[in-house]
Amino acid sequence: MTRNLSNTDRILRTGLGVVLVAFAIPAGVASISGVVLYVLGAVMLGTAALGFCPLYTALGISTCPSPNRTRRGHMGASQSS
């Protein structure tokens, strides 16, 4: 999975996800609006955690500034020049 979200995009998605879940709590899971808010909040939080948005891939969008768009901190073999 290729990362296609910048850190700013991930922070905004995290904030939006938290707000959506916070609005869903008083609405409750018994209401349609509550379920929709929970689902949208979960999608925002999930894409922020993964750094990957399938819709961005389908539309050919990437907000990730790195040229190789890989995750940092990979524990693979070191690359030396």
Side-chain angles (χ1 to χ4, degrees):
M1 190 166 25
T2 303
R3 182 177 171 190
N4 62 1
L5 296 178
S6 68
N7 288 336
T8 303
D9 199 351
R10 294 173 79 183
I11 291 167
L12 292 173
R13 285 171 182 264
T14 301
L16 181 60
V18 169
V19 168
L20 289 171
V21 170
F23 280 127
I25 292 170
V29 293
S31 69
I32 292 174
S33 61
V35 171
V36 169
L37 289 171
Y38 273 122
V39 169
L40 289 175
V43 168
M44 289 292 116
L45 292 171
T47 56
L50 295 174
F52 174 76
C53 177
L55 183 60
Y56 275 16
T57 301
L59 297 175
I61 299 170
S62 177
T63 60
C64 186
S66 63
N68 60 359
R69 295 186 179 93
T70 58
R71 294 175 186 257
R72 294 183 200 165
H74 180 63
M75 298 296 290
S78 64
Q79 297 176 357
S80 57
S81 306

